[in-house]
Structures are given as C-alpha cells and as structure tokens.
Amino acid sequence: MAITLNNGFKMPIIGLGVWRMEGKEIRDLITNSIKLGYRHFDCAADYKNEAEVGEALAEAFKTRLVKREDLFITTKLWNSDHGHVVEACRDSLKKLQLDYLDLYLVHFPVATKHTGVGATGSAMDEDGVLDIDTTISLETTWHAMEDLVSLGLARSIGISNYDIFLTRDCLAYSKVKPAVNQIETHPYFQRDSLVKFCQKHGICVTAHTPLGGAVANTEWFGTVSVLDDPVLKGLAEKYKKTVAQIALRWGIQRNTVVIPKSSKVERLKENFEVFDFELSKEDMDLLKELDRNYRTNQPAKFWGINLYA
C-alpha cells in the first residue's frame, strides 16, 4: 500500500525508522525487514549509521534480495549543513552507497553553526545553548534542496518538524513543492490542523514517533507511552491485535505514512501486519478523544533551547 506524492512518485505507507540502530544490528534489521515485506527505510545523517545502512542495502542488492528500484530510501539534512546542502546530500549518498535518494528532508527548520559536512554536530555557545546560524534562511536552504532534484540526486524533497506557518512559507517560496512533511504525530499528539493543512495542499504527512516513542523516548525524555493507554488496550482486545497495531492503523486511516522503529523481528512482523483490518468510524472517533497535545520527542534536552516554544 502506497501514497502517491505530489510529483507522482509512490511512497510506501509503512516504513522502518533506523534511529538508534547500530552496527551488526542494522544489517540484520534491514535484511529481516526486507524479507518481511518492508520497502521503505527512513534514515538521517544525524542517526550516524548511514554507512552501516549502506552496507546492508548493498548486500541486499548483491544477493538479489531486492532491487534498488523497489525500495524507497529517505535521509535527512542536518541542521549544521544548511549552507552545504548539495555536499551533505552527496555525503549521505556515498555512505548509503546509492546513486539517488527517493526523498531528502530538511531535518529541522533551523540552521546551526557548520561543523563539517556530514559531521552532524550541534555546536553550543558559551551559555550551553544551541549555536543558531542567523545568516541562512530556510528559503535559501530550500532553494538548495531544489537543486538536488535538477541534479538527479533526490527524486523528492521535503520538510520535517515544520509547523503550519513554516509549511505555508515553504509553499509560497518554493518552485519544487515539498512532497512530505515528517512530524511527530500519534494518538496523544494528533496535530489535526497541521495534518489537514498539509494534506489540503498536497503535502504527504509522515508520522515519525507513530507509537509515541515507546521505550526509546521514555528512556531519553521521560515521556509517557501511548502503548500503555487503556483505550488503545481495549481496542487491541476488540480487534485481536496488538496496541501498536491499533496505533499504526489509526495513523494509516488518517492517510499518513507511518515509520515505526523496532529491532525485534517479531515486532517488525507485527508492525507490518496492519492491512487485514480496519478501525470503525466509531473507534476512530474514540481515538480522537485521546489527544493531549503531548509531544514526546524533546530535543531541547540536548540543545538548551526549546525551538517549539
């Protein structure tokens, strides 16, 4: 199942996020997920594992497990490379051992002090606050992103963690419209206005953290997991599915792409088995009532500044 982007390319509606995956774990993860049917992988320079992902993909192509044209590979421009977009994209492609990306995203709508192409540093000032570069506008960054399309380095380009105002601005100054806005959204953080705005204007919404971050964000940010919610647990019993499957199905029925992460084969399999049932309108309405406007991914913990304030 796929969503057709505003440029005609198709994006699988479920993908695998590779955040916080390392070393040999990555190779096994990607091999197993391809065998299970995954064709969409969500990467980022900041995850610091593009080289390992690239090795796993190269092995999958070499052994004819899958063809390059059957995969949808996303990676992202880090904050410190806003002034070096083409170089950063080429660096990611080299690490991933690919000739082109299916999607390249601006990871966050902020340029920070350059620390070297692909270095993905987050330079801090003397007060321990993220060193934001005020000389590079998001418009300048976007026009450099557009160059990637004409150069054939990326088939689609998009944005990530953009609110309605920033998305509207991008639509206004862009020649190549953003194909995707990747945002945190899950039953506790539904962001209905932003989702509907993007979809109205032909921008596909991808839900990162579609399970509310689960253990990873609880460990890093001390946040509460959607997976412990009694309403979701009740629906899981009703449909004879896991709580995660209910949350993912909810995302899919909103016409959002979902990119859960897991390193466990049984979880990978479960997360992919969301196409054999459908939540009723009544249950979709019930889940709508769970919204808490609750963000679980909190980079302010590392940056000393709340960019969402």
Side-chain angles (χ1 to χ4, degrees), residues 109-155:
V110 61
T112 61
K113 183 178 178 181
H114 185 57
T115 54
V117 171
T120 68
S122 292
M124 312 296 271
D125 64 18
E126 61 273 14
D127 297 319
V129 173
L130 190 67
D131 196 350
I132 294 174
D133 187 338
T134 58
T135 67
I136 304 170
S137 71
L138 292 176
E139 180 175 355
T140 299
T141 300
W142 187 254
H143 291 319
M145 293 283 288
E146 291 173 327
D147 291 339
L148 301 176
V149 178
S150 56
L151 288 168
L153 300 179
R155 288 183 166 179

Side-chain angles (χ1 to χ4, degrees), residues 72 130 143 196 287 306:
F72 191 100
L130 190 67
H143 291 319
K196 286 179 176 174
L287 290 172
N306 182 6

